[in-house]
Amino acid sequence: AQSVTQLDSQVPVFEEAPVELRCNYSSSVSVYLFWYVQYPNQGLQLLLKYLSGSTLVKGINGFEAEFNKSQTSFHLRKPSVHISDTAEYFCAVSVTGRRALTFGSGTRLQVQP
Amino acid sequence: GAGVSQSPRYKVAKRGQDVALRCDPISGHVSLFWYQQALGQGPEFLTYFQNEAQLDKSGLPSDRFFAERPEGSVSTLKIQRTQQEDSAVYLCASSPLFVAEYPPQHFGDGTRLSIL
């Protein structure tokens, strides 16, 4: 079975500062990796995904993530955050042949002016 | 509408009652997913449909949970004899394709279920 660990439950950061949200996964087979964002009282929105190929993946809203197989990590980064980026961010993994996503417990990004 | 629609948005029920939660996916989407999100947690997979076929129900926590999608579009998640631990937000998602490389991209806003 696979699992996802998001190491930080909350990340406070000032506006226009860079941010990194950490995600580590565990799986005995090859995985697909995803980041989702959830705004209050809303569903999830897909930010980006890693399927194969280049380990640096660019997504929407200026976010990017890098897949590191040796460290089993898929950290999310943004060089300059905005107040509007305040939300909950979830890392997720799926494996070939199974459509179910396994989510981490989430990281709350709090952008302060 | 253009998105995934879930109803009701909020549901309060007494312990022991049955509830039914509805999901209207985006028109034409083949895949439909249900997830359960407890307070302060990430979503947990419940079940998956490809058209009307329920291909994976491994995440349903007990036989009190039942999901259907009889005509391959609207889906209903039913919980019988509700218990307090069923309190959560239930998320529905749909996707146009049915390959593992394409995760659920379109989530509804969820139904917040509170069991008293």
Side-chain angles (χ1 to χ4, degrees):
Chain A
Q2 58 276 5
S3 66
V4 178
T5 301
Q6 292 185 244
L7 299 169
D8 306 298
S9 59
Q10 294 188 56
V11 172
V13 63
F14 288 107
E15 193 175 17
E16 299 184 4
V19 70
E20 178 181 82
L21 306 183
R22 297 182 292 171
C23 172
N24 287 84
Y25 69 93
S26 173
S27 176
S28 58
V29 298
S30 296
V31 298
Y32 305 113
L33 294 157
F34 311 93
W35 275 99
Y36 287 84
V37 61
Q38 186 176 36
Y39 298 102
N41 298 316
Q42 294 186 23
L44 284 78
Q45 180 180 4
L46 181 66
L47 277 177
L48 48 78
K49 61 189 177 192
Y50 172 78
L51 306 179
S52 64
S54 173
T55 57
L56 183 62
V57 179
K58 294 190 182 297
I60 63 172
N61 300 341
F63 284 94
E64 63 181 31
E66 185 159 18
F67 171 58
N68 188 318
K69 188 175 182 179
S70 63
Q71 298 187 4
T72 60
S73 69
F74 190 56
H75 299 334
L76 181 70
R77 302 186 184 102
K78 186 170 183 177
S80 176
V81 295
H82 303 292
I83 296 288
S84 59
D85 291 323
T86 295
E88 190 88 19
Y89 291 80
F90 293 95
C91 182
V93 62
S94 69
V95 299
T96 302
R98 189 147 190 269
R99 295 303 309 281
L101 285 170
T102 299
F103 285 87
S105 56
T107 296
R108 179 168 297 279
L109 176 63
Q110 183 70 40
V111 181
Q112 304 166 356
Chain B
V4 177
S5 178
Q6 292 188 246
S7 60
R9 284 297 314 275
Y10 304 92
K11 177 68 178 178
V12 179
K14 292 182 179 178
R15 186 165 56 94
Q17 289 183 330
D18 298 348
V19 298
L21 312 180
R22 177 186 170 101
C23 173
D24 281 90
I26 293 173
S27 178
H29 277 197
V30 170
S31 300
L32 186 145
F33 309 80
W34 283 99
Y35 283 82
Q36 179 191 58
Q37 185 175 21
L39 187 64
Q41 299 297 317
E44 292 192 0
F45 172 79
L46 293 176
T47 187
Y48 160 64
F49 289 86
Q50 181 178 310
N51 295 308
E52 69 278 4
Q54 189 175 21
L55 299 187
D56 188 342
K57 55 181 181 180
S58 61
L60 295 176
S62 76
D63 59 6
R64 296 186 296 104
F65 286 70
F66 173 76
E68 59 182 6
R69 193 186 186 196
E71 298 180 358
S73 56
V74 172
S75 177
T76 303
L77 176 67
K78 298 179 180 178
I79 309 173
Q80 298 176 324
R81 305 181 303 282
T82 53
Q83 299 178 5
Q84 280 198 317
E85 61 261 32
D86 300 335
S87 296
V89 175
Y90 291 84
L91 295 168
C92 177
S94 69
S95 290
L97 300 174
F98 48 88
V99 294
E101 291 83 356
Y102 290 86
Q105 296 189 7
H106 305 275
F107 278 80
D109 290 340
T111 293
R112 183 177 298 276
L113 176 64
S114 298
I115 305 300
L116 305 179

